[in-house]
Amino acid sequence: MKKENRITESPSPYRHIEQMSTEEIVRSINEEDQKVALAVKKVLPAVTALIEAASLLLVAGGRVFYMGAGTSGRLGVLDASECPPTYGVDAGIINGLMAGGDAALRFGIEDAEDSYETGWQDLQQHNIKPGDFVTGIAASGTTPYVVGALRQCRKHNIATGCIVCNPGSPVASHADYPVEVITGPEFITGSTRMKSGTAQKMVLNMISTALMIRLGRVHDNRMVYMQITNEKLTDRGTRMLMETGGIADYEKAKALLLQHGSVQAALTNL
């Protein structure tokens, strides 16, 4: 993809930002953010196709991997890490990998994304195989770490998707289910942690939430498999159990919840 076609690198429509008042800065950023949901709305059919393909594999015992670098990688790791506590699934079901490893979550290791081989090597460390699903996340759509991984996945008959913010990118060309959310130039030129990152987060929310629903980890509109790991969640689970199980006694419901470990397990054993 030619650099001049990278919309994410296009000049910001705002000039002399350093001369803006704080009110002007936040208002302008908010105006740009309002464009993101509309951009995501345009690609809902592509998001749906990705989710349906991934869910078939997940229900059959496969795993989902997110791969990215920088902000994109961090967002994937964040989304994956929230699935076990929220939905009670094993940590290996939804996986987040990023260029540079765990150290890159806190510190910018920007050159880690420049290798076409490292992404595939990282997947091999997790015994990647057909039946798994790999989603590359890259605002530019050009990140070598992601491109190389998806290219190898295709060679090894592993299904792939992607979330990118430029049209016709190398990452999308190697994805079976590409999602191209075109959010336009950033408020700060090239700062894709802003609108592009917001768009990626919105799509990731859709993917993981829909996948967990398809796995049966949601009942009605409740997180009935959430891990009971602190007082807030214990109280939430207790009240959920009281409502769904018709239990009037708070302490009785709490004891049942703690005994069985989740709302769903407690309901099953009523």
Side-chain angles (χ1 to χ4, degrees):
M1 183 173 61
K2 295 181 180 179
K3 187 173 182 179
E4 59 267 28
N5 290 331
R6 296 186 190 178
I7 297 174
T8 55
E9 299 292 328
S10 299
S12 168
Y14 302 88
R15 300 297 306 278
H16 306 296
I17 292 173
E18 74 281 3
Q19 297 176 18
M20 287 182 173
S21 67
T22 303
E23 181 184 359
E24 289 174 319
I25 291 171
V26 298
R27 185 175 64 247
S28 299
I29 292 174
N30 178 251
E31 288 174 356
E32 290 301 306
D33 285 344
Q34 292 179 51
K35 301 175 183 178
V36 177
L38 296 176
V40 171
K41 183 178 180 180
K42 293 179 180 179
V43 299
L44 291 182
V47 177
T48 299
L50 186 156
I51 291 170
E52 290 184 341
S55 66
L56 288 174
L57 297 175
L58 201 60
V59 170
R63 299 167 296 168
V64 168
F65 289 83
Y66 298 137
M67 302 195 70
T71 297
S72 298
R74 294 183 187 100
L75 288 169
V77 172
L78 171 65
D79 195 71
S81 69
E82 290 179 339
C83 288
T86 305
Y87 299 105
V89 294
D90 292 339
I93 298 296
I94 310 292
N95 305 272
L97 304 179
M98 73 173 294
D102 288 349
L105 290 170
R106 284 183 170 271
F107 307 103
I109 308 178
E110 304 305 333
D111 60 344
E113 68 181 63
D114 293 336
S115 168
Y116 285 94
E117 291 76 33
T118 308
W120 177 243
Q121 292 169 1
D122 286 351
L123 285 171
Q124 288 181 300
Q125 291 293 317
H126 291 264
N127 299 313
I128 191 72
K129 61 185 183 300
D132 294 331
F133 192 96
V134 177
T135 297
I137 313 169
S140 68
T142 62
T143 308
Y145 177 82
V146 178
V147 173
L150 295 191
R151 187 163 52 200
Q152 288 297 321
C153 284
R154 180 164 283 175
K155 290 180 180 179
H156 290 81
N157 197 33
I158 297 165
T160 58
C162 73
I163 309 170
V164 298
C165 297
N166 281 322
S169 69
V171 168
S173 72
H174 292 291
D176 302 318
Y177 299 92
V179 175
E180 298 173 301
V181 191
I182 312 305
T183 52
E186 298 286 359
F187 176 69
I188 301 290
T189 300
S191 183
T192 52
R193 73 181 186 88
M194 301 185 77
K195 289 196 300 182
S196 296
T198 300
Q200 291 170 334
K201 173 60 173 156
M202 292 176 72
V203 174
L204 286 167
N205 284 347
M206 295 175 183
I207 292 172
S208 57
T209 302
L211 289 178
M212 292 300 101
I213 293 170
R214 290 288 165 258
L215 273 183
R217 310 306 287 188
V218 174
H219 176 72
D220 190 7
N221 59 7
R222 302 299 183 93
M223 301 177 288
V224 292
Y225 285 95
M226 68 180 182
Q227 294 178 356
I228 308 302
T229 54
N230 60 33
E231 287 300 323
K232 179 189 73 174
L233 295 177
T234 300
D235 179 68
R236 179 187 295 170
T238 299
R239 297 183 186 282
M240 193 186 306
L241 182 56
M242 292 174 68
E243 180 180 339
T244 56
I247 302 172
D249 188 315
Y250 181 92
E251 293 302 326
K252 178 182 177 181
K254 181 178 179 180
L256 282 170
L257 177 67
L258 295 176
Q259 176 186 352
H260 295 290
S262 74
V263 173
Q264 185 60 42
L267 287 170
T268 301
N269 286 278
L270 278 179

